[in-house]
Amino acid sequence: MKSTPVYRVKSRQPTSPTSVSVPPLLCIECGSPPPPRVDVVTSKPRRRKACFGCAVCEDVVQEPSVLTDFYNSPSFQPVFAAVFAMAACTTVEYVAAKSDDSSTNNGTSSTSSQLFSLSLILRLSTLSLKAFATVLCCLLPVMLFNAFTATSTFKSTPPSASVKDAIEKGKNKYGKLLSEAIKLKTISYDGLTSDDETDYGELLKMHSLLKTSFPLAASSLSWTLVNKYSIVIKWQGSSPSLKPIMICAHLDVVPAPNEKDNEWSEDPWGGEIKDGEVWGRGAIDNKHNVIGQMGAVEELLESGFKPTRTIYLAFGHDEEISGHHGAKMIAKHMEKEVGKKGIEAVFDEGPMMIEGALPGMKGHVGLVANSEKGYLTLEMSVKANGGHSSMPPFEQGTIAIIADAVSKLDSTPVPAHFSKGAGVYAQLEMLAALFSGPMKVLTSNLWLTGGLMKKILLKASPAAAAMLRTTTAITVIKGGTKANVLPYDVKFYVNHRVHPEDTVEGIIEYDRKVINDDRITIKPAEGITPASPISSLKSDAWRWIEESVGEVFNNPIAPSVMVGNTDTRWYWDLTEDIYRFSPVELDIKDVKMFHGLNERLGVEGMSGIVQYYKKLIEKSCLSE
């Protein structure tokens, strides 16, 4: 992409013997005329920094540079004011001194005047450097002071003996239960081929496994089948003044398509327990949470615990294919039960406690998603006259038009977000005291280093970048039927995961401006899900998660953005606060197990999930 397009006149000869007009300038790359000198929207002059035809329309917002971020930051204003004030005062003093000298010396020549001007310029340059160095020397101690005095709400405390004993006691039991659940092929298929059909009999076997494995929950609590295969379990609380909570998971899993190629170390449907780990599809997505939540309820019933707050467990059966028949129906059922906004908080699957996710941070960090990206797939198509490949037309063909559009979208990502108090910014603020080295200095001074931190995260990894911006992925291209036939209809599909600070409408308009080609038709290809509301970081529910993670795992937590989609998209009307988190410790390199190969979970980790949900339920019932 050329940042400065080159235009030239195609022909300088008059178009007719009597005409004196000159043909317009045309881009040498694509033949397009240059953009107008005046913006038709704002009526302000515009710079011709990009061709409308072969580059990016200049109306599209570009990612600001680090200097631009600093210029726009609140910290720039006092720094600039200090430098300007120092420069102004010294300049006035210097000019006044020179004026006194010249007044006593009336015979000053023009050479002296020139020397005075040169001296003034040098003086100002030197002053600017000294002012910059002075400000830097003042800022550095401030930054170091902020780093050394940064505090955290997390207080490292090893789990109690009772928690450790409970984890050790339950690891074999819950490891075997997870193994049995994995053996049930509760696979959700999207119906693209007739061979891939969901076996609902496996879901019914899963129901039976839960009831036989947790007899007290089966006999004491109210079970409701929603749309035949999803489950809602109600544990009635004693205090009607307290809103219920809803703890969620899903019964279904994605296929394991690589099993025939023997790429799995163990059978993905065997539930093998090997070297203290349970292997198979669903071990961390999401049968571990189903077993863990049921285990927590069963142990609390065994201990005689009586909840003051009503507890709901909700297990959807088709989360992996968007939950239209499971969670969507659960939401309707729950609205009849409790009404709109009748739930205190919803707790569903989400990010885990990851080690190595943040540079400069040792140990595991619980990333709790208090927001979730939206989902948008756009179909972009172009139609033109086909024909024989031996006589291609002078104008661009359909594939060439599509290729230009794909190139523009792929090379022009949506600008990132790094807003104070939200998303990754809030995450770094909350964890600043726990970093070490240079990262601690940077994260403790985001008022100054925010622009730099954003650039670091955008380059750190695709996962980090995905939490900062709406992502753009070209996923499918369709066009052409034969090597010697010009296609008349070509299309491609763009999948966006919409950041909570963007809107679906804004992203569609952004794509339209980037492509800037009226020959391409843009329309949504499937259902649209906007980004979720952002849940509070000061709620009781957030505190329950923080305390439960600390007491069971001795790990800190921080807010995050869920880059995928969960069943919670259907629960927005039930509550103000939704938190997505799975209480499992993983190394960053093991995250690729999600929907991938060799999915597995340690038996101690499975038992730890049970203890986490026990703590969460107990803490939710302490508030009257």
Side-chain angles (χ1 to χ4, degrees):
M1 183 190 304
K2 293 181 179 293
S3 59
T4 305
V6 179
Y7 300 100
R8 67 183 179 189
V9 176
K10 186 175 182 181
S11 172
R12 293 192 178 276
Q13 298 300 320
T15 56
S16 67
T18 58
S19 172
V20 293
S21 64
V22 178
L25 294 171
L26 299 177
C27 176
I28 64 172
E29 296 289 336
C30 67
S32 300
R37 290 191 178 277
V38 177
D39 190 299
V40 295
V41 177
T42 64
S43 299
K44 294 180 180 180
R46 77 196 314 166
R47 292 174 295 172
R48 294 177 176 175
K49 60 183 180 182
C51 171
F52 272 17
C54 64
V56 177
C57 171
E58 67 177 20
D59 288 336
V60 175
V61 179
Q62 298 295 312
E63 193 73 62
S65 65
V66 175
L67 290 178
T68 302
D69 281 330
F70 178 67
Y71 177 80
N72 293 326
S73 68
S75 59
F76 175 80
Q77 299 173 8
V79 171
F80 177 77
V83 173
F84 182 79
M86 291 173 62
C89 292
T90 307
T91 301
V92 170
E93 181 183 352
Y94 182 74
V95 171
K98 285 295 181 181
S99 297
D100 290 341
D101 291 343
S102 62
S103 65
T104 58
N105 212 350
N106 294 330
T108 305
S109 64
S110 60
T111 305
S112 299
S113 229
Q114 293 173 359
L115 289 174
F116 171 72
S117 299
L118 179 60
S119 175
L120 180 61
I121 293 172
L122 292 173
R123 176 77 174 181
L124 289 175
S125 300
T126 304
L127 174 66
S128 299
L129 292 174
K130 288 182 178 179
F132 177 78
T134 301
V135 171
L136 185 61
C137 290
C138 292
L139 285 177
L140 188 58
V142 171
M143 294 174 68
L144 293 175
F145 176 80
N146 289 342
F148 283 116
T149 59
T151 59
S152 171
T153 57
F154 171 68
K155 305 300 180 185
S156 179
T157 306
S160 65
S162 60
V163 170
K164 291 180 179 179
D165 290 343
I167 292 175
E168 182 65 24
K169 180 181 178 181
K171 65 180 185 180
N172 292 329
K173 172 185 176 181
Y174 294 114
K176 290 177 181 177
L177 285 177
L178 178 60
S179 171
E180 293 301 313
I182 288 172
K183 294 175 184 178
L184 302 177
K185 295 185 178 182
T186 56
I187 305 170
S188 281
Y189 291 104
D190 51 20
L192 294 179
T193 66
S194 57
D195 294 335
D196 296 336
E197 294 184 358
T198 299
D199 186 348
Y200 292 101
E202 295 291 284
L203 285 166
L204 296 178
K205 291 179 183 178
M206 187 71 175
H207 295 182
S208 298
L209 176 65
L210 295 180
K211 288 189 174 182
T212 56
S213 302
F214 306 104
L216 285 178
S219 60
S220 305
L221 308 183
S222 171
W223 290 55
T224 302
L225 292 184
V226 177
N227 204 12
K228 296 182 181 179
Y229 306 109
S230 291
I231 302 173
V232 173
I233 302 172
K234 180 180 180 181
W235 190 0
Q236 183 65 50
S238 60
S239 177
S241 63
L242 294 177
K243 283 186 177 182
I245 63 169
M246 189 165 78
I247 303 174
C248 310
H250 60 87
L251 305 172
D252 62 321
V253 296
V254 296
N258 302 96
E259 58 177 310
K260 296 179 182 178
D261 301 326
N262 295 320
E263 293 186 23
W264 283 74
S265 298
E266 304 293 335
D267 179 4
W269 309 111
E272 182 75 19
I273 301 178
K274 178 181 177 183
D275 298 329
E277 293 182 313
V278 187
W279 290 67
R281 180 63 86 220
I284 59 172
D285 186 20
N286 186 244
K287 291 180 178 178
H288 65 317
N289 274 336
V290 176
I291 300 299
Q293 292 164 14
M294 289 297 300
V297 168
E298 187 76 5
E299 288 194 10
L300 288 171
L301 285 168
E302 289 174 353
S303 69
F305 178 79
K306 304 290 184 183
T308 54
R309 188 189 303 272
T310 298
I311 311 297
Y312 286 96
L313 301 183
F315 303 141
H317 72 272
D318 63 341
E319 190 272 349
E320 299 293 0
I321 50 174
S322 299
H324 288 279
H325 303 288
K328 184 178 181 180
M329 298 297 109
I330 290 175
K332 291 181 178 180
H333 169 79
M334 291 302 300
E335 191 168 326
K336 292 178 182 178
E337 283 266 320
V338 300
K340 287 191 175 183
K341 305 301 181 183
I343 298 289
E344 179 70 22
V346 169
F347 305 91
D348 199 5
E349 65 168 327
M352 299 185 175
M353 294 173 286
I354 308 297
E355 184 172 23
L358 300 171
M361 175 72 71
K362 295 181 179 180
H364 294 85
V365 179
L367 301 177
V368 182
N370 65 325
S371 63
E372 181 173 294
K373 282 189 166 186
Y375 185 94
L376 171 66
T377 297
L378 297 175
E379 178 190 278
M380 304 193 179
S381 60
V382 60
K383 292 185 179 182
N385 294 327
H388 201 283
S389 63
S390 62
M391 296 178 289
F394 290 129
E395 65 272 12
Q396 273 187 312
T398 51
I399 290 181
I401 295 171
I402 289 296
D404 281 346
V406 168
S407 177
K408 291 174 184 177
L409 286 173
D410 191 60
S411 60
T412 316
V414 179
H417 297 280
F418 199 65
S419 304
K420 181 176 175 60
V424 179
Y425 193 108
Q427 177 187 109
L428 296 179
E429 276 189 316
M430 193 171 291
L431 295 173
L434 305 178
F435 281 96
S436 60
M439 280 296 292
K440 185 172 184 178
V441 177
L442 292 175
T443 55
S444 300
N445 295 277
L446 292 177
W447 57 277
L448 181 64
T449 62
L452 178 59
M453 276 304 306
K454 183 173 76 170
K455 292 294 186 267
I456 291 174
L457 292 171
L458 286 174
K459 299 294 184 181
S461 69
M467 288 197 293
L468 292 176
R469 63 157 48 105
T470 293
T471 53
T472 300
I474 316 298
T475 53
V476 179
I477 297 180
K478 295 181 179 180
T481 57
K482 202 170 183 294
N484 62 349
V485 177
L486 297 173
Y488 71 92
D489 183 6
V490 179
K491 63 183 66 174
F492 70 100
Y493 294 85
V494 183
N495 181 252
H496 290 291
R497 300 304 175 101
V498 183
H499 192 277
E501 294 182 61
D502 288 325
T503 64
V504 168
E505 296 77 15
I507 295 302
I508 294 175
E509 184 60 24
Y510 182 86
D511 284 358
R512 197 183 307 279
K513 285 185 176 182
V514 168
I515 293 173
N516 195 48
D517 193 333
D518 293 336
R519 295 171 295 180
I520 294 179
T521 301
I522 302 175
K523 65 179 182 180
E526 52 186 327
I528 296 174
T529 302
S532 76
I534 299 175
S535 299
S536 172
L537 301 179
K538 297 181 180 180
S539 67
D540 287 338
W542 178 267
R543 177 173 53 81
W544 301 336
I545 298 171
E546 185 175 39
E547 292 176 355
S548 300
V549 170
E551 292 176 18
V552 176
F553 303 102
N554 192 26
N555 291 328
I557 69 167
S560 180
V561 178
M562 187 74 184
V563 296
N565 291 114
T566 65
D567 274 340
T568 58
R569 75 187 77 180
W570 303 109
Y571 303 148
W572 296 353
D573 289 339
L574 296 177
T575 182
E576 296 290 344
D577 291 315
I578 299 177
Y579 302 99
R580 305 153 189 88
F581 174 65
S582 293
V584 172
E585 293 183 331
L586 283 184
D587 189 270
I588 186 64
K589 68 178 184 299
D590 294 324
V591 173
K592 60 186 178 182
M593 292 191 296
F594 285 96
H595 293 196
L597 300 174
N598 296 325
E599 188 177 343
R600 62 197 183 277
L601 175 65
V603 291
E604 287 189 357
M606 183 64 247
S607 188
I609 296 172
V610 176
Q611 300 310 311
Y612 165 81
Y613 282 113
K614 279 181 65 178
K615 290 286 186 183
L616 185 68
I617 293 172
E618 289 173 340
K619 291 180 182 300
S620 73
C621 293
L622 293 178
S623 302
E624 284 288 350

